[in-house]
Amino acid sequence: MTKKLVVGISGNLTRPSKTKAFISHIVGEVAGRIGAAPAVFDIEDLGSSFPQARRLGDLDPTTRGIIEQMVRADALVAGSPTFKGSYTGLFKHLFDLLDPSSLRGKPVVLVATGGGERHSLIVEHQLRPLFGFFEALTMPTAIYASDKDFADGVLVSEAIHARARQAVAELVNVVGATRSVGLAA
């Protein structure tokens, strides 16, 4: 039996990325609670073959390996950057390459960080395509953290911590339920 796997993928290209750090935190929490292996990537890790690919066979072996981990994962945590003209289109490209049924029933948390109150509208606009994609396959959860929720790149907001704990509990619950159903069948 293969070990459970929780994969996080961020669209942020900024270094260091609060979104990637937040994704890593959630992935680590879920992986620890279900005894899974954690893996966190960002769009840059998908390499130069990714943007031009028209099918999975066009991808280099490293990129194909990352995407296979996403498909094999028990849970996904995906994040998008929060600036206008973001890489949400690259996420759409990723999902266009995948067979949507390969992600059916997979629990997903969508994460976005940055900006202030006004910025949340941009974030919502960027996450909507991702949410729409996952909505048909599973029941995604979304978490938004603004810049004021961080201090020196570390999440300090108790309200966002509580939301993250709730998302972790939801993922753990769904992965546990999925495993139970699978074993019973």
Side-chain angles (χ1 to χ4, degrees):
M1 183 167 120
T2 58
K3 185 171 183 168
K4 293 177 191 174
L5 176 66
V6 181
V7 172
I9 184 160
S10 170
N12 262 340
L13 294 176
T14 58
R15 303 280 186 252
S17 162
K18 286 181 281 218
T19 302
K20 188 172 182 181
F22 197 14
I23 287 170
S24 297
H25 171 77
I26 292 171
V27 166
E29 286 285 317
V30 174
R33 291 200 33 204
I34 66 172
V40 179
F41 306 101
D42 57 35
I43 286 292
E44 195 172 71
D45 294 329
L46 294 176
S48 59
S49 69
F50 173 73
Q52 295 84 19
R54 295 291 166 242
R55 60 188 196 291
L56 288 176
D58 296 340
L59 299 170
D60 63 71
T62 301
T63 304
R64 204 170 26 254
I66 291 170
I67 292 174
E68 286 169 2
Q69 285 186 62
M70 289 179 63
V71 170
R72 194 174 74 244
D74 292 275
L76 288 174
V77 182
S80 177
T82 58
F83 49 85
K84 199 170 177 116
S86 76
Y87 287 81
T88 303
L90 288 183
F91 273 110
K92 183 181 180 324
H93 182 59
L94 171 64
F95 299 137
D96 285 345
L97 292 175
L98 294 172
D99 172 9
S101 66
S102 66
L103 299 176
R104 191 167 310 285
K106 196 175 299 294
V108 177
V109 174
L110 303 176
V111 176
T113 62
E117 292 304 316
R118 179 177 153 275
H119 215 67
S120 66
L121 296 174
I122 296 171
V123 172
E124 182 185 326
H125 175 72
Q126 290 179 353
L127 288 183
R128 195 174 298 126
L130 293 180
F131 211 90
F133 177 83
F134 283 113
E135 201 169 30
L137 303 171
T138 186
M139 294 187 63
T141 300
I143 304 173
Y144 166 70
S146 73
D147 283 344
K148 65 180 172 27
D149 296 322
F150 292 86
D152 297 324
V154 177
L155 185 66
V156 294
S157 166
E158 185 47 46
I160 301 301
H161 270 296
R163 185 67 193 100
R165 281 192 300 274
Q166 180 185 356
V168 166
E170 289 170 11
L171 284 181
V172 168
N173 196 24
V174 172
V175 171
T178 302
R179 286 293 173 176
S180 299
V181 169
L183 292 173

